[in-house]
Amino acid sequence: MKIAITITIIVLLLAMTGIALAPAYILSLPVEATPDAVLSHPASTDAKSPTVESEEKEIEPPPEPVITDITLSFVGDLMLATDRGGEYAGSFNKLANEVEPSYFLENFIELFESDDWTIGNLENVFTDDPTVQPRDKGYTPAYWYKSKTANTAILNAGSVEVVSLANNHSEDYGKKGYSDTRDALDEADVIWGDNNNMVILEKEGFKIAVYCTTFYYNSYDLIISKKLAETEADYKIVYFHGGTERVHVPDSWKATGAHRMIDNGADLVIGGHPHVLQPIEIYKGKTIIHSLGNFCFGGSRSEENRTMVYRLYLQLTDGELTSVTDEVIPCYLYSDLYKPAIITDETDKANVMAFLNGEIESPIVK
């Protein structure tokens, strides 16, 4: 009886203190009777949550820069014809009828195929019209050069993609001869330029203007510069035809004009017409080639036997011009009949380079 009273008092006291009571039947069971029970300790109130390592954000490496190389080869006069279209023994036209078109420039085919464009000055008319007549030039001696349109294959076989018609022979046979020449070049997929038609070459969105123009008198360079300024291009080249023939020193007016072309925005100035080489000048960090001379010249077999190929190398990084370099390759005008070749003789090569650098008066040291 006392035990029952005691238990009752304890229960009442616990109830009064607010302590929750488990059912009596659980309290009365021994631990052994609940084998599945798991006794756990309550979590400490100051315990830290487990540290979870966050994944590092993956950083992509910067893209590799896009490098674009552009190579242009420039040569001098291409006279792929004979005076008045003659086909006599020893003439260019007769030889062209007898050999493959590749004969004339075969010493350069690997070089020219490796560039993007090869550019030369075409100094003859292409026509198959027997009725065209030489125009009156009003002076003597005078020459009129023409050949069959089949001779355009010489350009194709030699990997010459661009020619200038801005010279004193492109209209030897009048407007009809000039029109026939342009049509023949179009048919052969050869790009041509003249005073009125700017050549725009483009690679990977980078535009190169090549202005093929005559330059026969003082101050005409201002007209050339104006034309160039109106042209949207990333790099601008003047490829002109003018100056006194067969002299190794450029006319002072011509040199002054070339300087002004650079002052007015030209990146490179290249001249022709003297039929001989003239020195290379660096003006305000830019190159002026006063005369490239002849290259493949059917007009004569007795011209000065030195010429050159000028190679221009442009490099773009992500479309922007980042490097400009160049190379001069000294050449013979004749290694065989009407066939130029690269000079391998070290003395001859050194003499050409010394002349171009202004160290000696002639590229041929006798």
Side-chain angles (χ1 to χ4, degrees):
M1 186 68 174
K2 290 180 179 179
I3 293 172
I5 293 171
T6 301
I7 291 173
T8 300
I9 292 171
I10 291 171
V11 170
L12 289 173
L13 290 172
L14 290 173
M16 290 174 65
T17 60
I19 297 175
L21 298 176
Y25 72 90
I26 292 178
L27 293 176
S28 65
L29 289 176
V31 174
E32 306 77 278
T34 57
D36 296 329
V38 178
L39 301 179
S40 61
H41 299 285
S44 172
T45 56
D46 61 352
K48 296 181 179 180
S49 301
T51 302
V52 179
E53 294 185 4
S54 60
E55 294 184 2
E56 292 187 5
K57 186 178 181 181
E58 187 175 339
I59 301 175
E60 294 184 3
E64 290 292 324
V66 177
I67 304 298
T68 303
D69 292 307
I70 302 175
T71 304
L72 296 90
S73 301
F74 291 87
V75 299
D77 294 343
L78 300 168
M79 182 75 78
L80 309 182
T82 306
D83 182 34
R84 297 178 184 268
E87 296 186 2
Y88 50 84
S91 69
F92 186 96
N93 283 356
K94 187 173 189 302
L95 182 62
N97 290 337
E98 298 169 347
V99 300
E100 293 296 320
S102 59
Y103 162 86
F104 297 97
L105 298 177
E106 66 181 355
N107 292 322
F108 297 87
I109 187 61
E110 184 176 345
L111 186 70
F112 293 166
E113 283 186 341
S114 70
D115 63 25
D116 293 286
W117 297 280
T118 300
I119 302 163
N121 175 57
L122 181 68
E123 282 213 302
N124 65 267
V125 168
F126 288 131
T127 183
D128 296 321
D129 186 346
T131 68
V132 296
Q133 296 298 315
R135 68 180 179 86
D136 182 10
K137 294 189 176 183
Y139 56 82
T140 58
Y143 305 93
W144 297 263
Y145 293 99
K146 73 169 182 173
S147 69
K148 300 172 182 176
T149 59
N151 276 8
T152 57
I154 297 170
L155 301 172
N156 293 147
S159 194
V160 177
E161 294 89 6
V162 184
V163 296
S164 171
L165 298 181
N167 58 66
N168 55 310
H169 287 292
S170 60
E171 293 191 13
D172 277 359
Y173 287 81
K175 300 298 182 185
K176 178 62 165 60
Y178 192 48
S179 176
D180 287 355
T181 301
R182 290 178 296 180
D183 289 345
L185 292 170
D186 288 341
E187 182 68 23
D189 290 325
V190 176
I191 302 166
W192 56 268
D194 61 16
N195 287 332
N196 299 313
N197 297 279
M198 184 81 67
V199 172
I200 302 294
L201 307 174
E202 184 173 351
K203 182 175 181 179
E204 302 296 336
F206 189 84
K207 293 183 178 180
I208 302 168
V210 182
Y211 186 28
C212 303
T213 178
T214 53
F215 182 28
Y216 293 141
Y217 56 85
N218 188 22
S219 297
Y220 190 76
D221 61 276
L222 300 177
I223 297 174
I224 293 171
S225 295
K226 183 175 184 296
K227 181 83 170 181
L228 210 60
E230 295 170 349
T231 304
E232 291 186 5
D234 301 294
Y235 195 87
K236 298 181 179 182
I237 301 170
V238 176
Y239 184 56
F240 75 79
H241 196 76
T244 303
E245 294 185 353
R246 295 179 174 82
V247 296
H248 290 118
V249 178
D251 305 271
S252 59
W253 63 265
K254 188 179 77 166
T256 298
H259 292 172
R260 281 200 296 251
M261 292 178 203
I262 297 291
D263 291 339
N264 290 323
D267 295 294
L268 170 66
V269 176
I270 301 177
H273 181 60
H275 298 299
V276 294
L277 292 173
Q278 291 181 349
I280 295 175
E281 179 183 1
I282 304 301
Y283 174 75
K284 294 186 176 179
K286 297 184 178 180
T287 299
I288 298 171
I289 301 172
H290 289 288
S291 176
L292 283 170
N294 297 319
F295 190 67
C296 184
F297 196 74
S300 170
R301 290 178 288 173
S302 59
E303 298 293 319
E304 184 172 272
N305 194 21
R306 296 293 185 273
T307 185
M308 63 180 278
V309 175
Y310 177 74
R311 300 265 281 185
L312 174 69
Y313 302 101
L314 306 178
Q315 188 172 86
L316 315 179
T317 303
D318 294 331
E320 296 295 325
L321 182 63
T322 50
S323 174
V324 181
T325 56
D326 59 9
E327 177 185 13
V328 171
I329 303 173
C331 303
Y332 295 121
L333 180 60
Y334 309 115
S335 64
D336 205 340
L337 189 59
Y338 305 120
K339 188 175 188 178
I342 296 172
I343 295 176
T344 56
D345 182 273
E346 292 301 324
T347 300
D348 286 350
K349 187 188 302 183
N351 287 337
V352 171
M353 293 306 300
F355 166 75
L356 293 173
N357 291 330
E359 299 167 7
I360 57 178
E361 295 181 353
S362 170
I364 299 178
V365 177
K366 297 179 181 178

